[in-house]
Amino acid sequence: MHLLLFNIIDQIRSLGWGGAFELLRNGIVLGSLYSLIALGYTMIYGILKLLNFAHGDVYMVGAFLGFGVLTAFGGALNPGIGLVPLIIIMFAVAMLGSGVLGVGIERFAYRPLRNAPRIAPLIAALGVSFFLENSAQLMTNGFQYNYDAFQLGGKNGNFGPLFDPVFTVAGNPVTVVQVLVVGSAVTLMAALIFLVSRTRLGKAMRATAFDQEAASMMGIDTDRVISSTFFIASVLAGAAGVMYGLYIGTTFYFMGFLAGLKAFTAAVVGGIGSIVGAMVAGVLVGLIESYAIGYVGGQWSDIVVFGILILFMIVRPTGLFGAQAIQKV
Amino acid sequence: MAEPQPSPESTQTKPLLELEGVWKSFGGLVVIDNLDLAVNENEIVSVIGPNGAGKTTLFNLITGIYPPDSGAIRLDGESLVGLPPHKIARRGAARTFQTLRLFLNMTVIENVMASQYGQTKVGIARAMLRTPGMRREEREIRARAEEKLAFFGERLMGYRWDQPAYSLSYANRRRLEIARAMATEPRILLLDEPAAGMNPSETHEITELIGKLRDDGGYTILVIEHDMHVVEGISDRVVALDHGVKIAEGTFEAVATNPRVVEAYLGTSAAVTK
């Protein structure tokens, strides 16, 4: 134990401020992905009180849809179209495809169980998760695939612009793809907050989340509102999948499991049902993971993240924003 | 055969809400037993009865929480049986709840805006793009919500609009529930114990309000109420239920002095000694 602490302090000292910023940057980028996925958990929990275990796998499908588009256009090395339209199409197809998948999951796996005991849809969610993972395994032959995004837009085998630095802080470059990930995540989250707080669908969602029966008696088509919620949640997960593919690169059929688990951790730490909580805690989990990798060691990072979840649940079972449980969506 | 005489019913206007031979049982327990009920346009009808008489079940049947086992429920001549609750609400039957069920996670005005969902159209894409049509509709929804809230005088005005609903007092929550029901643009308002838990002056106020809803708002009202002063003050007609059976119907005086009603409330010996 002493040795471990000593190693950590030693590591902090040797990495210095530059290293600290590097970990901060990595944590924020990773955390943006967790936030996007965590939002899905929290929205679906908010409206149905259901832990949608299949949500991480929707993210995986999103990553593969993006990869499919990339491959269809000739792969990272020789895409048939320009970099910007390609990335836009990748996002569009992955988001739309994931959204439709989410609606389908709700329609066929959860809606028939709407009035069943709460354990039934939970088991169905696990089933959907296995179904998606195993289907993906069959369809992708169980291999890992790489976006090779560093080659995107490059000529004659040279690296493309995605990993060029946009600016440098303390000797650490912040690359195009990192700005892209954080920028689009922030945009999507801002759009979500606007949607939930200002639009009629947002009001209908909050009403349905609070009291489904009363909402339906006020003329709100709750089935449709629930479908829309699944669509939006899955769109965000699909976007996160493509972002992961562009940033980290490796997509495989099981990638949704751990990412989903961590995003779920974020949703719980943020106070499940709270949208702002999921956003904040997603970044928090990303940062903890990043600093744990840097200072404690990569093999420890998951232990640290989930250890914090356990501690957090003991100290504050309602989560960060759980005191305002009433503000849920 | 004599010439077919027009029956007295056919010369009257058709009732707005009409229940015919409605049955509902839960397991072996018959909760609504062959009930006929008609509410005419612009009328205030009170439903009274002891606990467990089936009053709230009656509302649940009308609003589509569950379908009747048999019988017909018609609003303005069209059947409501089998429709999901949101469609019934859009047809024009809106209710409040005995145990308040406001959207406490939303502000006062948002509660009233949310219940206009069925009357509005702008979809998600246009809402996100903030098209002029969407903004106009948002303004209209808000204006309608303010108009409904204005019905309650100073109670739910101004600074209260943007307060969370959970910050309201109990009586104001009851008022807000009525405003929220009004915002669905109903033909008939179903009020489930609007005076429950209110003090005498608030009760007096709600009595006046229900009259005003009919006179100024033009609503037809079916109300469940336990407070006999309220029932006396508002009702054109009173229907008494006991164990799901209609035991009396008529003016307040007639129903309140009906021996079967007294018996249902106080027991047989009381009815005899009275």
Side-chain angles (χ1 to χ4, degrees), chain B residues 6-165:
Chain B
S7 65
E9 281 90 349
S10 69
T11 56
Q12 285 178 347
T13 49
K14 262 190 122 176
L16 180 64
L17 177 75
E18 196 178 12
L19 279 77
E20 233 175 51
V22 171
W23 286 81
K24 180 70 193 177
S25 59
F26 295 118
L29 181 70
V30 177
V31 195
I32 295 287
D33 191 343
N34 197 19
L35 181 70
D36 294 325
L37 178 71
V39 183
N40 295 314
E41 194 106 33
N42 226 11
E43 192 181 22
I44 300 179
V45 175
S46 297
V47 180
I48 63 168
N51 289 329
K55 305 183 295 296
T56 297
T57 303
L58 171 67
F59 273 22
N60 289 346
L61 288 169
I62 298 170
T63 51
I65 295 186
Y66 27 73
D69 297 338
S70 66
I73 303 173
R74 284 186 291 267
L75 183 68
D76 207 12
E78 286 181 59
S79 174
L80 298 181
V81 176
L83 289 180
H86 71 269
K87 291 213 167 124
I88 293 176
R90 291 174 192 189
R91 290 272 179 95
R95 71 176 290 181
T96 65
F97 299 90
Q98 181 183 355
T99 51
L100 291 159
R101 287 170 78 171
L102 286 168
F103 307 129
L104 295 178
N105 55 338
M106 298 162 77
T107 67
V108 167
I109 198 147
E110 279 177 341
N111 266 276
V112 188
M113 291 167 80
S115 68
Q116 293 177 46
Y117 183 87
Q119 277 75 49
T120 52
K121 299 179 192 53
V122 169
I124 173 171
R126 281 171 67 200
M128 293 305 293
L129 295 170
R130 312 248 328 116
T131 60
M134 174 266 176
R135 281 190 241 189
R136 186 171 352 103
E137 192 177 87
E138 275 292 306
R139 273 200 303 275
E140 284 167 12
I141 290 173
R142 195 175 165 99
R144 271 204 294 272
E146 290 172 4
E147 177 196 317
K148 305 300 179 209
L149 290 170
F151 216 92
F152 299 85
E154 291 299 301
R155 296 293 190 181
L156 294 171
M157 289 307 277
Y159 74 99
R160 285 242 162 81
W161 289 345
D162 293 314
Q163 286 187 336

Side-chain angles (χ1 to χ4, degrees), chain A residues 3-284:
Chain A
L3 205 63
L4 182 69
L5 267 179
F6 184 76
N7 280 340
I8 292 172
I9 293 166
D10 198 41
Q11 193 69 7
I12 292 174
R13 203 172 285 148
S14 71
L15 286 176
W17 286 113
F21 174 78
E22 189 183 355
L23 297 174
L24 176 73
R25 176 201 67 192
N26 292 349
I28 289 175
V29 179
L30 195 62
S32 306
L33 300 181
Y34 290 151
S35 290
L36 285 177
I37 309 170
L39 280 170
Y41 278 104
T42 223
M43 288 173 74
I44 291 170
Y45 182 85
I47 205 145
L48 279 188
K49 305 289 168 289
L50 165 73
L51 291 176
N52 182 18
F53 284 117
H55 193 66
D57 301 299
V58 173
Y59 154 83
M60 174 271 293
V61 170
F64 270 115
L65 285 172
F67 183 75
V69 171
L70 185 63
T71 312
F73 278 105
L77 212 48
N78 273 313
I81 54 170
L83 178 63
V84 175
L86 177 64
I87 288 179
I88 290 175
I89 296 174
M90 282 162 71
F91 270 108
V93 170
M95 288 163 79
L96 211 65
S98 304
V100 171
L101 175 67
V103 172
I105 291 171
E106 190 275 326
R107 177 68 190 79
F108 294 107
Y110 305 149
R111 191 176 298 180
L113 301 171
R114 190 70 55 75
N115 297 317
R118 274 176 67 181
I119 194 80
L122 203 68
I123 302 295
L126 284 171
V128 173
S129 173
F130 283 126
F131 175 79
L132 290 178
E133 279 167 15
N134 287 293
S135 307
Q137 185 182 15
L138 284 172
M139 282 190 270
T140 63
N141 300 316
F143 295 139
Q144 296 196 352
Y145 297 84
N146 209 302
Y147 272 52
D148 292 330
F150 56 89
Q151 288 181 323
L152 261 177
K155 297 271 185 293
N156 307 322
N158 292 320
F159 287 177
L162 277 184
F163 285 79
D164 287 348
V166 181
F167 54 90
T168 306
V169 178
N172 287 289
V174 176
T175 61
V176 173
V177 70
Q178 287 167 336
V179 172
L180 176 77
V181 166
V182 176
S184 29
V186 168
T187 310
L188 285 171
M189 290 190 234
L192 180 71
I193 287 185
F194 171 78
L195 180 111
V196 169
S197 62
R198 292 293 178 77
T199 65
R200 67 188 269 272
L201 176 65
K203 288 185 202 84
M205 281 167 66
R206 282 183 287 156
T208 306
F210 195 80
D211 188 335
Q212 199 175 317
E213 205 173 74
S216 74
M217 274 182 275
M218 294 303 133
I220 294 170
D221 185 347
T222 48
D223 277 344
R224 204 164 150 192
V225 170
I226 290 166
S227 283
S228 307
T229 307
F230 270 83
F231 184 80
I232 295 164
S234 307
V235 159
L236 296 178
V242 176
M243 289 178 194
Y244 181 88
L246 290 172
Y247 176 54
I248 309 277
T250 322
T251 52
F252 69 114
Y253 68 92
F254 207 56
M255 66 186 277
F257 178 74
L258 200 57
L261 217 53
K262 282 180 189 157
F264 171 60
T265 303
V268 173
V269 167
I272 193 135
S274 161
I275 281 193
V276 178
M279 292 176 182
V280 173
V283 176
L284 213 60

Side-chain angles (χ1 to χ4, degrees), chain B residues 1-6:
Chain B
M1 286 284 280
E3 281 285 287
Q5 294 287 317

Side-chain angles (χ1 to χ4, degrees), chain B residues 196-213:
Chain B
M198 290 196 164
N199 67 33
S201 82
E202 289 165 344
T203 303
H204 179 70
E205 201 178 310
I206 204 95
T207 309
E208 289 186 341
L209 179 85
I210 292 169
K212 197 173 140 209
L213 280 172

